[in-house]
Amino acid sequence: MPAAPDVTVHPSPNCGPRRSGLRPRFIVLHYTAMTSAQAALERLCDPSAEVSAHYLISGRGEILQMVEEDQRAWHAGQGEWAGLDDINSRSIGIELDNRGDHPFSEPQMQALEALLSEIMHRHDIPPEGVIGHSCMAPGRKVDPGPRFDWARLARLGLAQPAGTGPLPGSVNAETFRDAAQVVGFTAPCDDDTLLSTVRMRFRPWGCGPLTPPDLAALPAPIDAPRGGV
């Protein structure tokens, strides 16, 4: 398990109580898409921006906490995961200082791993509860994007790994959507958006039309084989 991370508190006014007594069951990962961590921090703490997150991790691996974990930060927006809405009330948001067009730094990834381990332990969040902003808001959001190393987190038990089942003989859009919904991709979107969203999470090197490897990359429940269509 990674060592406990050092965290600097920098409170943001952009938060409130979690609704309906909900507690964190997901962790949503974002990238800031801004020029620097300082610029992102200023925006996430600006009352007029009406956005925030629980944590911000700089490219140097510095962790800033802006919202207490028992509070509702404003990071996810409209969307759905595993049939559930109001993801802000059900999650903890982590912003990563990254423009989305370059790799995530090693110090940043190490800090993220340590922070994830702590949060998952505190709130009993399983690996499948760690998702990307794109997962719950497909088409509207693409972060943390195809350059984010989900496989690295999965190897450490900090995210759900991609599927390793047998390659189906064929796949169509309906079969793929059914399998994706089982994993948690239940937010409304068209077939092309769903494919690109799933690929960003489980098969970022994938390209072109839907193929059997896209279906095989989706995690599947135990004893639930997938047949070709």
Side-chain angles (χ1 to χ4, degrees):
M1 178 181 295
D6 293 327
V7 177
T8 299
V9 176
H10 194 294
S12 171
N14 302 337
C15 61
R18 295 182 183 274
R19 296 170 178 168
S20 305
L22 294 171
R23 296 182 179 182
R25 58 182 296 180
F26 306 120
I27 300 171
V28 183
L29 303 184
H30 309 254
Y31 61 52
T32 58
M34 300 189 71
T35 57
S36 68
Q38 182 61 36
L41 179 64
E42 291 174 3
R43 177 171 173 77
L44 293 165
C45 294
D46 180 357
S48 67
E50 298 186 342
V51 293
S52 65
H54 294 88
Y55 296 95
L56 168 66
I57 305 179
S58 76
R60 295 192 297 271
E62 301 159 327
I63 303 175
L64 297 167
Q65 182 174 13
M66 295 162 288
V67 177
E68 295 291 333
E69 291 180 6
D70 64 349
Q71 294 294 297
R72 181 181 185 271
W74 306 340
H75 61 97
Q78 292 185 344
E80 179 181 307
W81 181 252
L84 301 172
D85 59 8
D86 191 6
I87 302 300
N88 280 334
S89 289
R90 305 177 191 273
S91 69
I92 290 173
I94 301 176
E95 291 275 359
L96 301 170
D97 173 29
N98 186 288
R99 297 186 306 274
D101 59 0
H102 60 91
F104 294 78
S105 72
E106 181 61 24
Q108 186 177 58
M109 290 299 295
Q110 290 183 4
L112 174 62
E113 289 158 7
L115 181 60
L116 281 175
S117 180
E118 290 280 312
I119 296 172
M120 293 167 73
H121 178 74
R122 275 195 293 271
H123 299 284
D124 194 25
I125 297 174
E128 55 268 28
V130 180
I131 64 174
H133 200 187
S134 59
C135 297
M136 48 78 52
R140 186 174 70 84
K141 295 294 181 179
V142 298
D143 51 315
R147 290 180 176 270
F148 185 73
D149 194 349
W150 284 104
R152 171 174 171 157
L153 295 187
R155 289 192 295 270
L156 295 172
L158 300 175
Q160 189 172 28
T164 58
L167 190 67
S170 61
V171 61
N172 63 25
E174 182 178 1
T175 302
F176 182 72
R177 182 174 293 274
D178 288 345
Q181 289 180 341
V182 170
V183 174
F185 295 92
T186 57
C189 64
D190 61 49
D191 291 341
D192 289 342
T193 299
L194 178 62
L195 176 58
S196 64
T197 300
V198 169
R199 281 177 171 169
M200 278 192 291
R201 176 60 183 85
F202 292 111
R203 193 171 177 259
W205 58 88
C207 60
L210 175 67
T211 63
D214 293 311
L215 181 60
L218 281 165
I222 298 174
D223 298 328
R226 297 178 181 138
V229 177

